């Protein structure tokens, strides 16, 4: 395809850059350390700008391109080198952020941290587009200056830093969710970059060692893993959508039922899924001139159970209040 066509000179430059950036050398680990520390502080401080800065200096995207290029061309040496760099960099990033989290002690989870604990299909789609943009920016020298923007969108290091910080807080499930976000980004970039490199002719031209049927055999594992994680993140997106719908429904029912009680106003509501008991715990905060009776709470609980279709345990925190005007209460 003309759109993906590249010259021999451009191939030599791209190959040299990817090969050099995929070496697990001291400078590689230095940049991993720096980018991880920047990302960790950005997550703790809840600063999007600082997290973006970490993405710009993170070197972990290049070894992914190295793995893609090695699989496309059948080059074992480059494949082993890139895999070593990626595994070493990932391990260093998680350990560094874990150590920082333990050193800082009991810090509060911020929105930047929490937003990376439950990846979904949208995160995968962003990674797919970013992987294509990054690979194509390498192929087409006219748009290669756009690579810093690609580095921002891929977000390789922040999920790893987030994983270590969550582990430091003792939240293993959140840490696993963050690592899953990294894995989704990794597989997306790997698969899409490989397709881009094939379309550019790297699989057959420029002295490639292997092509044809061997190409499909080499990509069986990445493709299967990509399909599996796509299905999992699709299911995660479905669950998040259902929870949001449930939250809206619970709030609407609580507003409707509490409005029937004179001078009672719903302030806030939270709910938690108790998977062990197969139950939903709902906690509502209301302002009211008189504490609600168990019968009133039971009636509201029955309405919630009827709407959700699952057992509900409702607890209402009553903040006593009174209405006062210039003429009196």
């Amino acid at each position: 395809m003309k759109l993906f066509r590249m010259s021999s000179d451009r191939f030599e430059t791209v190959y040299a850059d990817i090969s050099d950036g995929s070496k697990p050398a001291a400078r590689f680990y230095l940049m991993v350390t720096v980018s991880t520390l920047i990302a960790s502080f950005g997550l703790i401080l809840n600063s999007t700008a600082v997290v973006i800065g970490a993405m710009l200096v993170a070197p972990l995207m290049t070894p992914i391109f190295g793995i893609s290029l090695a699989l496309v061309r059948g080059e074992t040496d480059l494949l082993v080198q890139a895999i070593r760099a990626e595994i070493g960099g990932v391990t260093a990033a998680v350990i560094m952020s874990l150590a920082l989290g333990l050193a800082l002690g009991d810090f509060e989870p911020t929105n930047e941290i929490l937003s990376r604990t439950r990846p979904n299909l949208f995160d995968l789609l962003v990674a797919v587009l970013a992987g294509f943009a990054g690979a194509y920016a390498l192929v087409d020298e006219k748009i290669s200056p756009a690579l810093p923007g690609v580095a921002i969108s891929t977000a390789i290091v922040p999920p790893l830093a987030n994983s270590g910080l969550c582990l430091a807080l003792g939240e293993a499930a959140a840490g696993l969710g963050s690592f899953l976000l990294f894995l989704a980004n990794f597989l997306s970039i790997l698969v899409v970059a490989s397709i881009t490199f094939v379309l550019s002719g790297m699989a057959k031209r420029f002295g490639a060692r292997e092509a044809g049927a061997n190409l499909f055999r080499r990509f069986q594992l990445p493709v299967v893993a990509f399909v599996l994680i796509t299905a999992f993140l699709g299911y995660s997106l479905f669950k998040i959508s259902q929870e949001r719908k449930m939250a809206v429904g619970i709030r609407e029912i609580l507003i409707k039922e509490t409005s029937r009680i004179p001078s009672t106003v719903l302030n806030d509501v939270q709910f938690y899924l108790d998977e062990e008991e197969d139950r939903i715990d709902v906690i509502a905060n209301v302002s009211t001139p008189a504490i609600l009776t168990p019968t009133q709470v039971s009636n509201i609980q029955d309405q919630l159970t009827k709407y959700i279709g699952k057992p509900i345990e409702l607890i209402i925190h009553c903040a006593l209040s009174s209405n006062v005007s210039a003429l009196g209460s």
Side-chain angles (χ1 to χ4, degrees):
M1 295 179 64
K2 186 176 180 180
L3 185 65
F4 293 90
R5 187 177 301 170
M6 65 187 309
S7 64
S8 298
D9 292 339
R10 182 60 185 170
F11 168 76
E12 294 295 335
T13 301
V14 170
Y15 187 89
D17 289 344
I18 291 178
S19 180
D20 186 57
S22 300
K23 291 178 180 177
R27 63 178 181 274
F28 174 81
Y29 289 111
L30 175 63
M31 294 307 294
V32 168
T33 301
V34 171
S35 61
T36 301
L37 289 175
I38 294 174
S40 298
F41 283 120
L43 293 167
I44 293 171
L45 296 172
N46 201 35
S47 173
T48 304
V50 175
V51 175
I52 290 174
M55 299 177 195
L56 283 171
V57 299
L60 288 177
M61 187 170 68
T62 305
I64 303 176
F65 288 149
I67 296 171
S68 298
L69 188 59
L71 289 173
V72 166
R73 295 177 58 81
E75 298 189 9
T76 305
D77 293 342
L78 177 58
L79 179 63
V80 173
Q81 173 184 292
I83 289 176
R84 284 179 55 202
E86 192 69 18
I87 292 177
V90 168
T91 304
V94 175
I95 292 176
M96 178 62 63
S97 56
L98 173 60
L100 177 64
L102 292 174
L104 292 175
D106 189 20
F107 53 91
E108 288 294 324
T110 62
N111 289 333
E112 287 287 336
I113 292 176
L114 296 174
S115 66
R116 289 173 170 83
T117 58
R118 294 190 68 185
N120 57 62
L121 193 60
F122 290 145
D123 297 303
L124 187 77
L125 294 176
V126 170
V128 166
L129 295 173
F132 169 75
Y136 186 68
L138 287 173
V139 171
D140 191 336
E141 58 185 329
K142 293 182 180 179
I143 62 171
S144 57
L147 273 174
V150 175
I152 292 174
S153 60
T154 50
I156 300 297
V157 164
L160 294 174
N162 206 62
S163 183
L165 292 176
C166 289
L167 291 176
L169 290 172
E171 298 292 339
L176 182 60
S178 298
F179 190 81
L180 185 63
L181 175 57
F182 158 76
L183 189 60
N185 290 341
F186 171 83
L187 289 171
S188 300
I189 296 170
L190 176 63
V191 171
V192 178
S194 300
I195 295 173
T196 306
F197 291 155
V198 169
L199 293 175
S200 69
M202 292 187 186
K204 297 181 179 179
R205 299 171 58 206
F206 313 116
R209 299 176 185 177
E210 298 182 29
N214 289 330
L215 184 64
F216 296 99
R217 178 173 53 82
R218 291 195 296 272
F219 277 96
Q220 284 180 355
L221 181 59
V223 170
V224 170
F226 179 75
V227 170
L228 290 176
I229 202 167
T230 300
F232 180 83
L233 294 181
Y235 176 68
S236 177
L237 179 61
F238 172 76
K239 284 186 66 177
I240 291 173
S241 176
Q242 291 296 103
E243 287 178 13
R244 288 176 179 171
K245 180 181 177 182
M246 185 187 302
V248 171
I250 288 174
R251 186 171 185 84
E252 287 179 351
I253 290 174
L254 285 171
I255 290 174
K256 178 182 176 182
E257 295 299 321
T258 54
S259 65
R260 296 176 178 177
I261 304 172
S263 301
T264 299
V265 178
L266 177 69
N267 296 325
D268 182 49
V269 59
Q270 296 177 333
F271 71 94
Y272 307 91
L273 304 177
D274 190 338
E275 295 182 356
E276 293 183 1
E277 300 290 337
D278 191 28
R279 183 188 68 203
I280 299 174
D281 297 331
V282 178
I283 301 175
N285 296 308
V286 301
S287 298
T288 178
I291 296 177
L292 274 64
T293 66
T295 301
Q296 290 174 311
V297 175
S298 178
N299 291 335
I300 299 174
Q301 181 174 282
D302 290 342
Q303 293 298 319
L304 289 172
T305 301
K306 187 183 299 183
Y307 172 79
I308 300 297
K310 269 189 175 185
I312 299 287
E313 182 168 324
L314 174 64
I315 297 176
I316 297 183
H317 291 163
C318 299
L320 295 180
S321 64
S322 60
N323 298 323
V324 179
S325 70
L327 300 177
S329 61

